[in-house]
Amino acid sequence: MVALGMNSSVAFLSFLYITCVVSASWRPTPAPEPNSLVSSPNPEANSPEPSPATLADSPETQLPPTAEGLFDVTDYGAEPDGETETSSAFLEAWNAACSHNGDSTFYIPEGTFLLGPVSITGPCHNNQPPKIVIKGTLMAPPNLSAFPDTNWIVFQDLHGINISGGNGEVPNIDAQGEVEAWKRNSCSKSEKCNKLITSLRFNNVSLGTISNIAVSNSKGFHVAFLDCDNINVYNVSISSPGDSPNTDGIHVGMSTNINITSSNIGAGDDCISIGPGSRNISVSDVKCGPGHGISIGSLGKYTDEEDVVGINVRNCTITGTQNGVRVKTWPGAPASHASNFMFTDIVMINVSNPIIIDQEYCPSNSCKSTSEPSLVKLSNIHFKNISGTYNTESGVTLICSSGVPCENIHLIDINLNPTEPETPREGRFNVKGVVNGLEILNSSF
């Protein structure tokens, strides 16, 4: 059954259960304001603005470390020669700074430090961890055999963490993934893949800032937040080649109140991926590319996943990526909910799939079953003021579940043009599955 009503300003689809290709070259006259339409709820009301993370001391106002409370890793035996392994010296300096009775700074001076796997753990004295100031370059061991598990640098059980490159040149944290890790089997090409090493992993960390650092050439994810709350990430640069496998820029899972802003991210996978259990996540002023875009998901790969609620992506530029903004769930996924997403004020430059919902996400045919529909319920998703160019047949692709409908999908002020214009239409709009409430206002794609 298809119910399609269209006037000069509004296209509305309801209870759609088809696979179709619809010309989307119409250019309607401006529509009434959404709050004047009973069927068009105010997007801002449906997606609460994430409250910004509380800042610890800002690096812009941070004074240079002084001898009082300063714990310099070179004082504990770390050699900045790029050849001597320094993890034991780093841990000794951290333990001293963490147990210090008073304000303290864990300090990594200029130079290059070869650092093996290390865990920076708390809680610290009075539950107040040291400031972490990085001036030098950190290099990971190039070979996977140096890593007993899937992490390089772990920050765990810390409240009030502040990690910064300080003022001046931004220090680099280089995992050297190109030496060995990227040459192994990739999870994007095979269901079985070698272990992926996350460069910076934050577990049970709260009330913190990470700023003015660069993370590059990860063996797996560059940065991951798991079970974290109230974290501000800004002025961070993440870089690896577009063909480096499984190198997500920033991954967020089981976390709340994470704010990522004013950063440049280029990787071989998602620039930012937001996984199950994420709530109140804000992404703004991010430049993404190369990579797979900014993604919510994948969702539904495992049983008992927690819901995803309140994601706000705005004022971003996405260039030369496989996808633009994306929501992805696995076929056969067990029941869960993902709702209240806002994607606003985004520029796409030569992107393959600018706007895509994919509830049949199955990389490398690695799904246990492709015949069972995803049971992840997607609702209240707003795409607003998105413009730019795309290099495929479709500017907008909605692949919704045949088991539970996508509900309340809004496309408002979308202006996407193919890099090779078609005649007579400008592009194509692909819809598959069940959609209950699709609104299109003032859009062409």
Side-chain angles (χ1 to χ4, degrees):
M1 172 181 179
V2 179
L4 175 60
M6 185 184 304
N7 58 29
S8 63
S9 60
V10 179
F12 184 85
L13 281 70
S14 176
F15 298 104
L16 183 65
Y17 186 31
I18 56 173
T19 300
C20 65
V21 177
V22 181
S23 173
S25 60
W26 66 85
R27 294 183 178 271
T29 57
E33 290 299 320
N35 59 13
S36 68
L37 298 175
V38 174
S39 62
S40 176
N42 186 340
E44 285 74 13
N46 284 309
S47 182
E49 179 76 11
S51 55
T54 304
L55 295 179
D57 292 340
S58 172
E60 283 76 14
T61 60
Q62 176 180 295
L63 297 176
T66 61
E68 180 65 27
L70 176 65
F71 295 85
D72 187 327
V73 295
T74 59
D75 293 337
Y76 293 82
E79 294 290 343
D81 56 12
E83 298 178 356
T84 306
E85 207 284 321
T86 59
S87 59
S88 59
F90 272 57
L91 285 176
E92 188 176 350
W94 171 259
N95 290 334
C98 184
S99 60
H100 180 68
N101 184 11
D103 294 338
S104 61
T105 299
F106 176 76
Y107 186 63
I108 303 170
E110 294 181 357
T112 300
F113 297 87
L114 179 63
L115 179 65
V118 64
S119 291
I120 307 298
T121 62
C124 294
H125 182 75
N126 287 336
N127 203 28
Q128 295 294 323
K131 296 177 183 177
I132 300 172
V133 176
I134 305 172
K135 295 289 188 179
T137 297
L138 304 182
M139 301 284 288
N143 299 318
L144 291 172
S145 59
F147 296 85
D149 58 28
T150 58
N151 301 295
W152 175 22
I153 303 172
V154 178
F155 298 90
Q156 183 162 323
D157 300 331
L158 295 166
H159 177 77
I161 190 172
N162 184 336
I163 302 173
S164 175
N167 298 319
E169 187 173 348
V170 175
N172 189 24
I173 300 172
D174 186 350
Q176 300 197 82
E178 73 281 5
V179 177
E180 180 181 333
W182 300 347
K183 300 174 183 179
R184 299 294 185 93
N185 290 336
S186 165
C187 293
S188 64
K189 299 179 180 178
S190 171
E191 183 176 3
K192 295 181 180 179
C193 56
N194 289 279
K195 63 183 179 182
L196 304 173
I197 310 299
T198 299
S199 290
L200 300 182
R201 176 167 174 150
F202 296 83
N203 292 336
N204 189 30
V205 174
S206 62
L207 192 63
T209 63
I210 298 95
S211 64
N212 297 334
I213 62 171
V215 187
S216 64
N217 301 320
S218 183
K219 294 175 169 65
F221 290 3
H222 287 78
V223 180
F225 295 97
L226 298 171
D227 195 25
C228 293
D229 176 63
N230 209 359
I231 303 292
N232 217 24
V233 179
Y234 61 97
N235 291 340
V236 169
S237 174
I238 294 175
S239 61
S240 62
D243 60 354
S244 57
N246 309 113
T247 53
D248 288 44
I250 298 177
H251 176 74
V252 178
M254 299 298 297
S255 297
T256 56
N257 303 312
I258 308 297
N259 184 22
I260 303 166
T261 188
S262 301
S263 296
N264 296 330
I265 304 175
D269 210 297
D270 293 329
C271 292
I272 298 173
S273 57
I274 299 170
S278 300
R279 292 175 177 265
N280 205 25
I281 311 299
S282 175
V283 177
S284 63
D285 299 303
V286 167
K287 294 181 179 178
C288 166
H292 293 181
I294 298 175
S295 296
I296 298 174
S298 60
L299 307 178
K301 187 174 184 179
Y302 306 103
T303 58
D304 300 322
E305 288 186 356
E306 294 190 14
D307 296 344
V308 179
V309 180
I311 311 300
N312 194 332
V313 179
R314 64 189 186 278
N315 296 327
C316 295
T317 300
I318 302 176
T319 304
T321 55
Q322 186 183 90
N323 305 286
V325 289
R326 173 171 60 159
V327 182
K328 51 182 176 175
T329 77
W330 290 77
S336 65
H337 290 81
S339 63
N340 290 3
F341 303 158
M342 290 283 296
F343 301 96
T344 60
D345 301 326
I346 297 171
V347 175
M348 307 281 183
I349 302 173
N350 195 29
V351 170
S352 294
N353 301 292
I355 296 174
I356 179 169
I357 292 176
D358 185 1
Q359 294 209 262
E360 296 179 357
Y361 175 73
C362 182
S364 308
N365 297 317
S366 57
C367 308
K368 295 180 180 179
S369 173
T370 57
S371 60
E372 297 295 325
S374 173
L375 297 181
V376 178
K377 174 73 172 181
L378 303 181
S379 62
N380 297 331
I381 302 177
H382 301 263
F383 302 96
K384 182 177 181 181
N385 194 25
I386 297 177
S387 63
T389 58
Y390 61 96
N391 54 33
T392 56
E393 293 183 345
S394 303
V396 177
T397 299
L398 306 180
I399 305 174
C400 289
S401 171
S402 61
V404 291
C406 293
E407 197 164 273
N408 296 334
I409 310 299
H410 303 268
L411 298 164
I412 303 170
D413 297 326
I414 309 300
N415 184 15
L416 296 167
N417 298 300
T419 54
E420 297 182 4
E422 297 176 294
T423 303
R425 60 191 178 193
E426 294 180 359
R428 283 194 275 186
F429 174 33
N430 291 329
V431 182
K432 178 182 179 182
V434 182
V435 183
N436 183 4
L438 171 60
E439 181 183 59
I440 305 174
L441 302 176
N442 297 344
S443 296
S444 63
F445 36 80

